[in-house]
Amino acid sequence: ERDELHLVYQPQISLNTNCIVGAEALLRWSHPKLGDISPNEFIPLAEESGLILSIGEWVIRTAVQQAKSWIEYGLSPMIIAVNLSAVQFRHQRLPEMITEILSDIGFPPEYLEIELTEAATMKNPVNAYAVMDKLYEEGIRMSIDDFGTGYSSFNYLKKFKVYKLKIDKSFIDDIHTDPEDRAIVNAIISMAHSLGLKVIAEGVETQEQLNYLHTHGCDEIQGYYFSKPLSTEEFEIFAKNEKNS
Ligand code: C2E
Ligand code: CA
Ligand code: CA
């Protein structure tokens, strides 16, 4: 209501083509007195108070509208990824709300990706299964965020219509020195591929990390190595430069 929220966008790069294939929308709160507040701090409060439902709807609408504008502006179509809290995921009208936004804006559903955490899907797997089914029928993609840090059941992973796994940053940080992290990352990549899923690594900051992931067949990366989350204007410049290079 006070217009203090905005989104920033972090590019997702394909390791095959070196092109931007998507952007993750990340929420920011610029408070007039407290300054910028991290989503890690205010999202849990928004979840407790129930405000997350209206904030979350605003996030989806704003991100989809932005992605649509970028297509009209001449950028190559790309996936727009949006984070969803477990509270939103448990809300019955979620699939309807999302499809309404897509049809209002006239945005192709296959370019929207919903990022869920393992906790969001595992708390009530039967309900999660139904919601994911509906979203899948609409053509919307789903990915599992922070993969490897939650408590996934392989049985449910098999049933969920997941499109992509996002390997958590904590496994990437020491990938060039820690043999256990390497083993875990290799296992996630090969399991994902065997299940027909794509894999993206989060929090990639160095050339060494990128090289390792590239050599071991990871599909996409996201992280400061390529770019921090960007404002709309910065993102347009980044995407245009990339297109020309
Ligand atoms: P996340 O979904 O795991 O997002 C990745 C976080 O890592 C983002 O922090 C991003 O800025 C940061 N990051 C990306 N690349 C790097 C890197 O190379 N190095 C480091 N150190 N960090 C990197 P951010 O934007 O502060 O978001 C924090 C969390 O807040 C997100 O974690 C997500 O769980 C939540 N969040 C953000 N936006 C939303 C939203 O619209 N809705 C909901 N429900 N949650 C959101
Ligand atoms: Ca995310
Ligand atoms: Ca994550």
Side-chain angles (χ1 to χ4, degrees):
E1 282 170 9
R2 295 208 303 258
D3 212 19
E4 290 169 9
L5 298 177
H6 69 277
L7 297 178
V8 288
Y9 301 88
Q10 189 174 36
Q12 302 179 326
I13 314 286
S14 156
L15 285 177
N16 254 334
T17 61
N18 260 322
C19 290
I20 301 182
V21 286
E24 178 177 4
L26 294 157
L27 189 56
R28 296 290 178 263
W29 179 10
S30 319
H31 189 278
K33 288 204 185 100
L34 302 173
D36 288 346
I37 303 173
S38 157
N40 285 326
E41 291 196 48
F42 70 81
I43 294 220
L45 293 173
E47 286 177 332
E48 257 171 53
S49 66
L51 266 178
I52 192 68
L53 292 175
S54 47
I55 294 176
E57 184 168 348
W58 178 87
V59 168
I60 298 173
R61 190 173 286 278
T62 307
V64 167
Q65 184 63 64
Q66 185 57 61
K68 164 102 172 175
S69 309
W70 279 332
I71 297 175
E72 287 168 352
Y73 174 80
L75 298 186
S76 320
M78 65 184 117
I79 303 264
I80 184 83
V82 175
N83 292 284
L84 223 70
S85 111
V87 177
Q88 288 175 276
F89 197 63
R90 283 197 295 270
H91 200 247
Q92 291 209 330
R93 264 189 34 84
L94 178 77
E96 288 78 11
M97 183 265 280
I98 296 178
T99 46
E100 254 172 56
I101 290 176
L102 291 170
S103 77
D104 283 356
I105 295 175
F107 190 74
E110 63 274 21
Y111 284 109
L112 175 62
E113 185 175 302
I114 300 292
E115 293 194 2
L116 294 161
T117 59
E118 291 169 281
T121 51
M122 299 305 154
K123 257 184 203 143
N124 184 351
V126 178
N127 179 55
Y129 189 28
V131 171
M132 288 178 109
D133 246 0
K134 270 198 192 163
L135 294 172
Y136 179 82
E137 277 166 25
E138 298 291 341
I140 296 159
R141 294 176 174 179
M142 281 154 292
S143 58
I144 303 290
D145 207 351
D146 309 335
F147 188 79
T149 62
Y151 46 108
S152 276
S153 141
F154 286 116
N155 199 22
Y156 286 116
L157 189 58
K158 192 178 82 175
K159 288 189 198 139
F160 286 147
K161 304 216 161 56
V162 173
Y163 173 76
K164 195 192 276 180
L165 300 183
K166 297 194 82 175
I167 308 177
D168 192 64
K169 179 178 183 304
S170 57
F171 302 113
I172 307 298
D173 286 340
D174 300 321
I175 203 172
H176 46 292
T177 52
D178 187 333
E180 286 171 346
D181 284 340
R182 287 180 179 227
I184 291 168
V185 167
N186 295 350
I188 295 176
I189 294 172
S190 67
M191 179 192 68
H193 286 164
S194 312
L195 290 169
L197 309 177
K198 277 199 185 294
V199 204
I200 182 166
E202 294 194 276
V204 177
E205 294 179 347
T206 68
Q207 179 81 52
E208 286 99 329
Q209 292 168 341
L210 182 145
N211 290 348
Y212 185 88
L213 291 160
H214 188 42
T215 316
H216 290 81
C218 186
D219 302 297
E220 296 168 9
I221 67 159
Q222 184 182 338
Y224 294 173
Y225 178 76
F226 272 112
S227 172
K228 293 201 167 182
L230 303 171
S231 71
T232 309
E233 298 76 23
E234 290 168 333
F235 191 92
E236 282 160 17
I237 295 166
F238 185 88
K240 258 194 169 168
N241 286 345
E242 194 221 27
K243 218 175 163 186
N244 298 332
S245 66

PDB file of all heavy atoms in Angstrom, residues 151-164:
ATOM      1  N   TYR A 151      13.981 -31.978   3.609  1.00  0.00           N
ATOM      2  CA  TYR A 151      13.818 -33.394   3.880  1.00  0.00           C
ATOM      3  C   TYR A 151      12.974 -34.047   2.792  1.00  0.00           C
ATOM      4  O   TYR A 151      11.859 -34.485   2.998  1.00  0.00           O
ATOM      5  CB  TYR A 151      13.257 -33.657   5.277  1.00  0.00           C
ATOM      6  CG  TYR A 151      12.071 -32.796   5.677  1.00  0.00           C
ATOM      7  CD1 TYR A 151      10.797 -33.338   5.762  1.00  0.00           C
ATOM      8  CD2 TYR A 151      12.236 -31.449   5.985  1.00  0.00           C
ATOM      9  CE1 TYR A 151       9.722 -32.561   6.134  1.00  0.00           C
ATOM     10  CE2 TYR A 151      11.159 -30.663   6.361  1.00  0.00           C
ATOM     11  CZ  TYR A 151       9.897 -31.231   6.436  1.00  0.00           C
ATOM     12  OH  TYR A 151       8.839 -30.456   6.806  1.00  0.00           O
ATOM     13  N   SER A 152      13.531 -34.087   1.609  1.00  0.00           N
ATOM     14  CA  SER A 152      12.809 -34.663   0.484  1.00  0.00           C
ATOM     15  C   SER A 152      12.593 -36.150   0.647  1.00  0.00           C
ATOM     16  O   SER A 152      13.487 -36.868   1.084  1.00  0.00           O
ATOM     17  CB  SER A 152      13.614 -34.474  -0.797  1.00  0.00           C
ATOM     18  OG  SER A 152      13.362 -33.222  -1.322  1.00  0.00           O
ATOM     19  N   SER A 153      11.441 -36.582   0.266  1.00  0.00           N
ATOM     20  CA  SER A 153      11.219 -38.001   0.124  1.00  0.00           C
ATOM     21  C   SER A 153      11.340 -38.312  -1.360  1.00  0.00           C
ATOM     22  O   SER A 153      10.708 -37.666  -2.194  1.00  0.00           O
ATOM     23  CB  SER A 153       9.816 -38.343   0.635  1.00  0.00           C
ATOM     24  OG  SER A 153       9.235 -39.315  -0.192  1.00  0.00           O
ATOM     25  N   PHE A 154      12.189 -39.273  -1.683  1.00  0.00           N
ATOM     26  CA  PHE A 154      12.388 -39.589  -3.097  1.00  0.00           C
ATOM     27  C   PHE A 154      11.092 -40.080  -3.734  1.00  0.00           C
ATOM     28  O   PHE A 154      10.853 -39.908  -4.909  1.00  0.00           O
ATOM     29  CB  PHE A 154      13.497 -40.632  -3.263  1.00  0.00           C
ATOM     30  CG  PHE A 154      14.845 -40.036  -3.039  1.00  0.00           C
ATOM     31  CD1 PHE A 154      15.644 -40.461  -1.989  1.00  0.00           C
ATOM     32  CD2 PHE A 154      15.311 -39.023  -3.857  1.00  0.00           C
ATOM     33  CE1 PHE A 154      16.883 -39.895  -1.770  1.00  0.00           C
ATOM     34  CE2 PHE A 154      16.556 -38.445  -3.639  1.00  0.00           C
ATOM     35  CZ  PHE A 154      17.340 -38.888  -2.590  1.00  0.00           C
ATOM     36  N   ASN A 155      10.268 -40.695  -2.891  1.00  0.00           N
ATOM     37  CA  ASN A 155       9.004 -41.196  -3.380  1.00  0.00           C
ATOM     38  C   ASN A 155       8.121 -40.064  -3.906  1.00  0.00           C
ATOM     39  O   ASN A 155       7.517 -40.165  -4.971  1.00  0.00           O
ATOM     40  CB  ASN A 155       8.310 -41.929  -2.235  1.00  0.00           C
ATOM     41  CG  ASN A 155       7.237 -42.852  -2.742  1.00  0.00           C
ATOM     42  OD1 ASN A 155       7.265 -43.252  -3.908  1.00  0.00           O
ATOM     43  ND2 ASN A 155       6.290 -43.166  -1.893  1.00  0.00           N
ATOM     44  N   TYR A 156       8.081 -38.966  -3.151  1.00  0.00           N
ATOM     45  CA  TYR A 156       7.271 -37.838  -3.593  1.00  0.00           C
ATOM     46  C   TYR A 156       7.917 -37.098  -4.745  1.00  0.00           C
ATOM     47  O   TYR A 156       7.250 -36.643  -5.659  1.00  0.00           O
ATOM     48  CB  TYR A 156       6.985 -36.900  -2.413  1.00  0.00           C
ATOM     49  CG  TYR A 156       5.957 -37.486  -1.481  1.00  0.00           C
ATOM     50  CD1 TYR A 156       6.281 -37.811  -0.169  1.00  0.00           C
ATOM     51  CD2 TYR A 156       4.676 -37.755  -1.944  1.00  0.00           C
ATOM     52  CE1 TYR A 156       5.342 -38.377   0.667  1.00  0.00           C
ATOM     53  CE2 TYR A 156       3.729 -38.325  -1.111  1.00  0.00           C
ATOM     54  CZ  TYR A 156       4.061 -38.634   0.202  1.00  0.00           C
ATOM     55  OH  TYR A 156       3.131 -39.199   1.012  1.00  0.00           O
ATOM     56  N   LEU A 157       9.244 -37.012  -4.683  1.00  0.00           N
ATOM     57  CA  LEU A 157       9.959 -36.353  -5.779  1.00  0.00           C
ATOM     58  C   LEU A 157       9.591 -37.022  -7.107  1.00  0.00           C
ATOM     59  O   LEU A 157       9.426 -36.371  -8.133  1.00  0.00           O
ATOM     60  CB  LEU A 157      11.466 -36.453  -5.528  1.00  0.00           C
ATOM     61  CG  LEU A 157      12.347 -35.628  -6.452  1.00  0.00           C
ATOM     62  CD1 LEU A 157      11.980 -34.152  -6.380  1.00  0.00           C
ATOM     63  CD2 LEU A 157      13.808 -35.819  -6.092  1.00  0.00           C
ATOM     64  N   LYS A 158       9.443 -38.321  -7.030  1.00  0.00           N
ATOM     65  CA  LYS A 158       9.088 -39.091  -8.214  1.00  0.00           C
ATOM     66  C   LYS A 158       7.702 -38.701  -8.734  1.00  0.00           C
ATOM     67  O   LYS A 158       7.482 -38.607  -9.933  1.00  0.00           O
ATOM     68  CB  LYS A 158       9.110 -40.585  -7.820  1.00  0.00           C
ATOM     69  CG  LYS A 158       9.044 -41.545  -8.970  1.00  0.00           C
ATOM     70  CD  LYS A 158       9.134 -42.979  -8.477  1.00  0.00           C
ATOM     71  CE  LYS A 158       7.784 -43.478  -7.996  1.00  0.00           C
ATOM     72  NZ  LYS A 158       7.819 -44.907  -7.612  1.00  0.00           N
ATOM     73  N   LYS A 159       6.777 -38.451  -7.795  1.00  0.00           N
ATOM     74  CA  LYS A 159       5.401 -38.158  -8.201  1.00  0.00           C
ATOM     75  C   LYS A 159       5.185 -36.700  -8.594  1.00  0.00           C
ATOM     76  O   LYS A 159       4.322 -36.394  -9.403  1.00  0.00           O
ATOM     77  CB  LYS A 159       4.443 -38.503  -7.058  1.00  0.00           C
ATOM     78  CG  LYS A 159       4.282 -39.991  -6.860  1.00  0.00           C
ATOM     79  CD  LYS A 159       3.165 -40.262  -5.871  1.00  0.00           C
ATOM     80  CE  LYS A 159       3.243 -41.667  -5.304  1.00  0.00           C
ATOM     81  NZ  LYS A 159       2.955 -41.683  -3.863  1.00  0.00           N
ATOM     82  N   PHE A 160       5.944 -35.814  -7.953  1.00  0.00           N
ATOM     83  CA  PHE A 160       5.762 -34.393  -8.255  1.00  0.00           C
ATOM     84  C   PHE A 160       6.172 -34.095  -9.680  1.00  0.00           C
ATOM     85  O   PHE A 160       7.135 -34.645 -10.194  1.00  0.00           O
ATOM     86  CB  PHE A 160       6.621 -33.533  -7.315  1.00  0.00           C
ATOM     87  CG  PHE A 160       6.096 -33.454  -5.926  1.00  0.00           C
ATOM     88  CD1 PHE A 160       6.972 -33.360  -4.857  1.00  0.00           C
ATOM     89  CD2 PHE A 160       4.736 -33.459  -5.672  1.00  0.00           C
ATOM     90  CE1 PHE A 160       6.500 -33.275  -3.566  1.00  0.00           C
ATOM     91  CE2 PHE A 160       4.256 -33.370  -4.382  1.00  0.00           C
ATOM     92  CZ  PHE A 160       5.139 -33.282  -3.327  1.00  0.00           C
ATOM     93  N   LYS A 161       5.453 -33.190 -10.283  1.00  0.00           N
ATOM     94  CA  LYS A 161       5.790 -32.842 -11.659  1.00  0.00           C
ATOM     95  C   LYS A 161       6.784 -31.693 -11.670  1.00  0.00           C
ATOM     96  O   LYS A 161       6.499 -30.606 -12.148  1.00  0.00           O
ATOM     97  CB  LYS A 161       4.509 -32.510 -12.407  1.00  0.00           C
ATOM     98  CG  LYS A 161       3.503 -33.676 -12.337  1.00  0.00           C
ATOM     99  CD  LYS A 161       2.729 -33.822 -13.603  1.00  0.00           C
ATOM    100  CE  LYS A 161       2.067 -35.169 -13.787  1.00  0.00           C
ATOM    101  NZ  LYS A 161       1.165 -35.579 -12.714  1.00  0.00           N
ATOM    102  N   VAL A 162       7.955 -31.960 -11.098  1.00  0.00           N
ATOM    103  CA  VAL A 162       8.985 -30.938 -10.987  1.00  0.00           C
ATOM    104  C   VAL A 162       9.748 -30.829 -12.304  1.00  0.00           C
ATOM    105  O   VAL A 162       9.947 -31.826 -12.996  1.00  0.00           O
ATOM    106  CB  VAL A 162       9.960 -31.281  -9.849  1.00  0.00           C
ATOM    107  CG1 VAL A 162      11.140 -30.334  -9.831  1.00  0.00           C
ATOM    108  CG2 VAL A 162       9.248 -31.247  -8.520  1.00  0.00           C
ATOM    109  N   TYR A 163      10.167 -29.619 -12.635  1.00  0.00           N
ATOM    110  CA  TYR A 163      10.875 -29.377 -13.883  1.00  0.00           C
ATOM    111  C   TYR A 163      12.379 -29.243 -13.652  1.00  0.00           C
ATOM    112  O   TYR A 163      13.186 -29.645 -14.479  1.00  0.00           O
ATOM    113  CB  TYR A 163      10.316 -28.094 -14.508  1.00  0.00           C
ATOM    114  CG  TYR A 163      11.043 -27.614 -15.717  1.00  0.00           C
ATOM    115  CD1 TYR A 163      10.865 -28.242 -16.949  1.00  0.00           C
ATOM    116  CD2 TYR A 163      11.910 -26.530 -15.626  1.00  0.00           C
ATOM    117  CE1 TYR A 163      11.549 -27.796 -18.059  1.00  0.00           C
ATOM    118  CE2 TYR A 163      12.592 -26.080 -16.742  1.00  0.00           C
ATOM    119  CZ  TYR A 163      12.406 -26.715 -17.953  1.00  0.00           C
ATOM    120  OH  TYR A 163      13.086 -26.277 -19.047  1.00  0.00           O
ATOM    121  N   LYS A 164      12.718 -28.681 -12.494  1.00  0.00           N
ATOM    122  CA  LYS A 164      14.121 -28.342 -12.272  1.00  0.00           C
ATOM    123  C   LYS A 164      14.483 -28.426 -10.791  1.00  0.00           C
ATOM    124  O   LYS A 164      13.656 -28.142  -9.942  1.00  0.00           O
ATOM    125  CB  LYS A 164      14.324 -26.886 -12.731  1.00  0.00           C
ATOM    126  CG  LYS A 164      15.751 -26.450 -12.921  1.00  0.00           C
ATOM    127  CD  LYS A 164      15.827 -24.950 -13.091  1.00  0.00           C
ATOM    128  CE  LYS A 164      15.577 -24.479 -14.504  1.00  0.00           C
ATOM    129  NZ  LYS A 164      15.678 -22.991 -14.600  1.00  0.00           N
TER     130      LYS A 164
END
